[in-house]
């Protein structure tokens, strides 16, 4: 189900917790599983649960509770825009609107070529750098004005 | 670098942005000296906690509870596992200070946590890092590797007989995990739903063991307090409000960013440090401590000093020190609509008053904003929030209610105008003009 590299990451996470508390690694393992698969299909969630010796339902509860897990396929680049108040005061809404117009999709939609998915996010803890985006849960982009947005979209090959 | 200014800096003194975070830089700034001193002199746990108490360091995560007192609640002689947990799940809208501490001074957090472990007889710690800041989590992991390599973490630290293991746990997008018992559930690999208290974490915490949870900035302050002495740290601030603190200033100022200033510094001074209001516009309102703190009209905050007691006396909370500045172009109904959506989205769903109440508050504010408000909607909102506040397991319910209550209290006229005229007091073309968003190319 998972590559050797992903399994190695799983093992490293499990090692952080007491031997009888393997379930503690479920969040990290689901995140690594999602990184490999692009999203979290039910089989991946079950495989993580098996790996950690916990009920599949308990792993599914975690996957459906935290909002950075994708339980449905997303585009190659998932761009999450913070529109919470502090960001909105510094252009968060405008940045989101510009991005929607450029990509021709709304929030929670994916471009037809499967390249981009757009999400509206909650506070990312970077309000001083507003407007901010996160690409694929990992890469934070600061001060996203039109020229930076154009550049970002060009870089997403 | 988002550390933009300071007065008498402690935590951010000598930082050089991305070039100065590593172990050798921290050691060059005097880092890990306090840990060494404590271990070499075999300082007693009582003396250590007493020094922290003297500093009147109050929890920097939002509640402002005295750290030394919190530490004294731990059953230090309890045999078996005990834990020290750091809360870097910084998701309170407006707050971005812990991100910079972790980015530019991660070893201060590590040293503070090791010392806390020593003080409370705990041998294992976890730092729960906000899901959205992957790069910062990676940096903290790198700093942990350095500390392990140098023998500051692990078995028998520097030959003292004291052992402490520390690991990072990466969150994945849930505001509620900033609540300490939700955070513990999350480390245990469960949904982040807060626990009923009591029992408090000091007696029943992570894996059911005694646990103390502090904010990132709180832990990072510990080595500096021990270096300068509790009393000197206290005197940097004002009585009952010890030390300096990081303030995250966002919104309509010329230079949004983090500023370290002594507690008790006038708000007007902080505003000046931020380069004043963007575009020279007029200050309308400030949320002084993260989105959960009651909003304050300009004339009230301009008379306040930035410390727990002054802000509390003026009817709000210093909270996490997240100062959200709004100018006259802001429609307060629209602003509250966005905050209400946030609490509705982030309610964990466990308690009915919060789960249902936050949905109702958003629905009603949303319809007022969109010209569909009804004459008794403000009464309805007050009734709903009154049925949430104080009736839930954790503070998210209160946090959702305070903004609604305070926006209506101070800016009720704007809400009434919306309901009566199906329009906004702030003309549409003026709204959000203060955002500073660059012009879209033709």
């Amino acid at each position: 189900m998972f590559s050797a590299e992903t399994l190695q990451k799983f093992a490293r996470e499990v090692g952080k917790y007491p031997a009888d508390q393997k379930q503690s690694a479920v969040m990290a393992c689901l995140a690594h599983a999602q990184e490999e698969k692009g999203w979290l299909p039910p089989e991946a969630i079950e495989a993580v649960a098996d790996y950690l010796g916990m009920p599949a339902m308990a792993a599914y509860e975690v996957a459906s509770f935290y909002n950075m897990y994708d339980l449905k396929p997303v585009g190659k680049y998932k761009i999450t825009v913070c529109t919470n108040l502090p960001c909105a005061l510094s252009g968060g809404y405008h940045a989101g609107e510009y991005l929607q117009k450029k990509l021709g999709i709304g929030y929670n939609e994916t471009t037809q070529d499967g390249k981009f998915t757009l999400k509206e996010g909650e506070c990312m803890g970077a309000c001083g750098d507003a407007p901010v985006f996160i690409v694929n849960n990992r890469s934070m982009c600061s001060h996203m004005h039109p020229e930076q947005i154009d550049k970002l979209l060009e870089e997403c090959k | 670098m988002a550390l933009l200014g300071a007065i008498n800096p402690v935590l951010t003194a000598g930082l050089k942005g991305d070039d100065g975070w590593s172990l050798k830089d921290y050691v060059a700034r005097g880092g890990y000296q306090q840990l060494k001193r404590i271990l070499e002199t075999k300082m007693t746990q009582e003396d250590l906690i007493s020094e922290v108490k003297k500093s009147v360091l109050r929890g920097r995560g939002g509640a402002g509870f005295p750290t030394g007192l919190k530490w004294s609640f731990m059953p230090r002689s309890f045999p078996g596992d005990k834990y020290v947990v750091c809360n870097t799940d910084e998701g309170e809208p407006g707050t971005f200070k812990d991100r910079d501490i972790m980015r530019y001074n991660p070893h201060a957090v590590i040293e503070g946590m090791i010392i806390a472990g020593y003080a409370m007889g705990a041998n294992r710690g976890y730092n729960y890092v906000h899901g959205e800041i992957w790069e910062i989590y990676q940096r903290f992991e790198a700093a942990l590797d350095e500390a392990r390599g140098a023998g500051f973490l692990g078995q028998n630290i520097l030959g003292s007989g004291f052992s402490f293991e520390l690991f990072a746990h990466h969150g994945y997008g849930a505001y509620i995990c900033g609540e300490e018992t939700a955070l513990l559930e999350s480390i245990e690999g469960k949904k982040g739903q807060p626990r009923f208290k009591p029992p408090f974490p000091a007696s029943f915490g992570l894996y059911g063991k005694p646990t103390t949870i502090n904010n990132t900035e709180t832990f990072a302050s510990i080595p500096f307090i021990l270096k300068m002495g509790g009393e000197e740290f206290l005197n940097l601030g004002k009585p009952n409000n010890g030390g300096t603190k990081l303030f995250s200033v966002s919104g309509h100022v010329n230079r949004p960013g983090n500023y370290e200033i002594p507690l008790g510094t006038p708000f007007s001074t902080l505003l000046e440090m931020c380069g004043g209001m963007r575009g020279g516009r007029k200050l309308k309102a400030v949320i002084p401590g993260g989105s959960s703190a009651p909003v304050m009209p300009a004339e009230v905050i301009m008379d306040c000093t930035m410390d727990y007691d002054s802000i509390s006396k003026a009817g709000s909370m210093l909270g996490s020190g997240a100062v959200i500045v709004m100018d006259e172009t802001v429609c307060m109904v629209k602003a509250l609509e966005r905050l209400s959506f946030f609490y509705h989205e982030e309610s964990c769903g466990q308690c009915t008053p919060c789960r249902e109440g936050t949905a109702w508050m958003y629905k009603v504010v949303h319809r007022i904003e969109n010209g569909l408000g009804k004459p008794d909607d403000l009464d309805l909102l007050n009734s709903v929030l009154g049925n949430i506040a104080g009736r839930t397991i954790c503070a998210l319910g209160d946090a959702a209610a305070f903004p609604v209550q305070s926006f209506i209290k101070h800016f009720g006229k704007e809400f009434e105008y919306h309901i009566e005229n199906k329009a906004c007091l702030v003309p549409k073309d003026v709204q959000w003009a203060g955002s500073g968003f660059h012009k879209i190319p033709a």
Side-chain angles (χ1 to χ4, degrees):
Chain A
M1 184 80 197
F2 300 114
S3 69
E5 195 194 343
T6 299
L7 288 171
Q8 212 171 11
K9 287 178 183 169
F10 284 7
R12 187 177 176 279
E13 293 298 335
V14 168
K16 292 179 177 179
Y17 306 95
D20 58 345
Q21 301 291 347
K22 277 171 85 175
Q23 181 172 337
S24 283
V26 68
M27 288 179 71
C29 291
L30 287 171
H32 289 306
Q34 176 165 300
E35 197 194 4
E36 182 183 324
K37 305 289 175 198
W39 65 294
L40 280 178
E43 312 83 78
I45 299 174
E46 281 166 33
V48 166
D50 278 351
Y51 180 87
L52 297 171
M54 64 193 280
M57 185 48 77
Y60 186 77
E61 267 189 0
V62 169
S64 59
F65 185 85
Y66 298 90
N67 64 29
M68 287 164 68
Y69 296 115
D70 295 310
L71 302 184
K72 286 185 183 146
V74 292
K76 187 175 173 197
Y77 298 100
K78 179 179 82 166
I79 304 179
T80 311
V81 182
C82 179
T83 61
N84 206 310
L85 182 62
C87 267
L89 294 173
S90 289
Y93 283 144
H94 302 305
E97 281 163 14
Y98 182 66
L99 202 49
Q100 292 183 42
K101 211 173 130 204
K102 289 262 323 184
L103 296 176
I105 52 171
Y107 286 124
N108 300 316
E109 289 177 5
T110 300
T111 52
Q112 277 198 334
D113 59 4
K115 201 164 157 193
F116 293 102
T117 297
L118 215 47
K119 295 254 178 192
E120 194 172 12
E122 291 302 342
C123 188
M124 297 162 182
C127 327
D129 300 341
V132 290
F133 302 166
I134 294 180
V135 179
N136 291 342
N137 290 343
R138 293 280 167 95
S139 169
M140 189 172 287
C141 311
S142 305
H143 306 291
M144 298 307 284
H145 292 278
E147 49 275 39
Q148 286 84 2
I149 295 174
D150 291 347
K151 193 164 160 264
L152 171 72
L153 295 183
E154 271 169 37
E155 283 165 6
C156 291
K157 298 289 179 202
Chain B
M1 175 142 163
L3 293 171
L4 299 184
I7 299 173
N8 296 335
V10 175
L11 249 175
T12 64
L15 296 185
K16 291 183 296 232
D18 283 315
D19 293 330
W21 67 270
S22 73
L23 181 70
K24 69 170 175 20
D25 301 305
Y26 184 61
V27 168
R29 291 193 296 268
Y32 289 109
Q33 284 303 318
Q34 297 310 308
L35 175 66
K36 279 185 187 159
R37 177 172 70 90
I38 289 162
L39 296 178
E40 277 165 15
T41 62
K42 300 195 186 326
M43 192 171 180
T44 66
Q45 294 173 324
E46 289 76 13
D47 284 352
L48 218 170
I49 293 176
S50 149
E51 203 59 42
V52 176
K53 278 186 179 166
K54 267 190 225 157
S55 74
V56 197
L57 170 68
R58 293 173 62 173
R60 300 300 196 224
F65 193 81
T67 304
L69 190 60
K70 195 180 210 178
W71 286 14
S72 70
F73 293 156
M74 274 287 268
R76 296 194 290 278
S77 48
F78 174 86
D81 298 334
K82 291 187 280 299
Y83 294 97
V84 168
V85 173
C86 179
N87 186 344
T88 310
D89 192 27
E90 187 175 50
E92 174 78 13
T95 319
F96 49 93
K97 64 186 179 68
D98 297 335
R99 174 171 174 250
D100 273 359
I101 294 171
M102 293 271 285
R103 193 192 212 174
Y104 304 128
N105 214 2
H107 284 285
V109 181
I110 296 173
E111 187 180 5
M113 288 190 73
I114 304 169
I115 293 172
Y118 178 88
M120 292 179 274
N123 299 112
R124 194 177 260 262
Y126 290 96
N127 185 1
Y128 190 102
V129 183
H130 194 216
E132 284 81 349
I133 51 172
W134 167 256
E135 289 123 330
I136 308 295
Y137 166 77
Q138 292 284 85
R139 172 158 300 175
F140 191 73
E141 286 272 34
L144 283 177
D145 282 343
E146 285 186 325
R148 286 182 195 118
F152 294 127
L153 282 172
Q155 297 298 307
N156 190 20
I157 297 171
L158 307 175
S160 65
F162 173 66
S163 302
F164 191 77
E165 303 279 1
L166 179 56
F167 302 95
H169 183 104
H170 189 210
Y172 230 58
Y175 168 67
I176 190 61
C177 290
E179 198 278 345
E180 60 179 13
T181 58
L183 186 151
L184 295 178
E185 289 284 301
S186 187
I187 297 181
E188 291 181 5
K190 301 172 192 159
K191 290 184 289 187
Q193 291 191 320
R195 296 175 184 171
F196 195 80
K197 294 174 282 289
F200 291 95
S203 53
F204 189 93
L206 185 61
Y207 309 127
K209 305 293 183 189
T211 302
T212 289
I213 304 149
N214 286 129
N215 167 258
T216 318
E217 186 182 354
T218 308
F219 279 124
S221 301
I222 296 296
F224 299 98
I225 288 171
L226 293 170
K227 185 177 178 189
M228 67 173 66
E231 206 166 309
E232 196 180 327
F233 184 82
L234 167 63
N235 291 338
L236 280 173
K238 66 182 233 189
N240 199 36
N241 297 266
T244 57
K245 171 158 185 23
L246 267 74
F247 286 89
S248 305
V249 186
S250 64
H252 293 155
V253 294
N254 276 315
R255 300 197 316 142
N258 282 314
Y259 295 85
E260 183 179 0
I261 55 173
L263 287 170
T265 303
F267 170 76
S268 54
T269 304
L270 179 61
L271 190 57
E272 270 172 43
M273 290 173 78
C274 301
M277 297 298 292
R278 193 183 287 154
R281 290 188 185 83
K282 200 175 149 210
L283 178 68
K284 181 173 189 174
V286 171
I287 303 177
S291 66
S292 308
V295 66
M296 299 168 82
E299 59 277 15
V300 179
I301 185 88
M302 284 305 278
D303 282 339
C304 286
T305 55
M306 298 308 284
D307 57 82
Y308 299 94
D309 295 343
S310 165
I311 299 290
S312 158
K313 209 173 140 197
S316 188
M317 305 187 305
L318 192 72
S320 55
V323 182
I324 306 171
V325 179
M326 293 179 269
D327 71 17
E328 58 197 338
T329 68
V330 174
C331 163
M332 297 308 272
V333 182
K334 179 98 178 145
L336 180 64
E337 182 198 24
R338 186 60 186 84
L339 290 182
S340 298
F341 178 78
F342 168 70
Y343 291 103
H344 162 50
E345 176 76 12
E346 297 293 340
S347 171
C348 81
Q350 186 174 211
C351 307
T352 310
C354 176
R355 183 185 65 239
E356 303 298 322
T358 52
W360 270 99
M361 288 197 299
Y362 169 64
K363 186 177 167 178
V364 175
V365 178
H366 178 73
R367 76 182 179 214
I368 297 174
E369 166 62 17
N370 287 285
L372 299 167
K374 298 175 185 173
D376 57 355
D377 270 354
L378 295 188
D379 292 337
L380 177 59
L381 280 173
N382 277 316
S383 155
V384 174
L385 72 90
N387 279 297
I388 302 174
R391 292 169 197 256
T392 53
I393 286 177
C394 84
L396 191 141
D398 298 344
F402 288 153
V404 180
Q405 190 177 36
S406 60
F407 270 70
I408 294 176
K409 181 177 165 196
H410 296 298
F411 300 95
K413 282 204 167 58
E414 285 191 39
F415 288 79
E416 285 162 11
Y417 188 91
H418 265 259
I419 294 169
E420 280 165 27
N421 300 285
K422 322 251 175 255
C424 184
L425 261 176
V426 184
K428 276 275 181 237
D429 56 336
V430 173
Q431 273 186 39
W432 312 98
S435 80
F437 192 66
H438 297 182
K439 229 178 143 179
I440 292 170

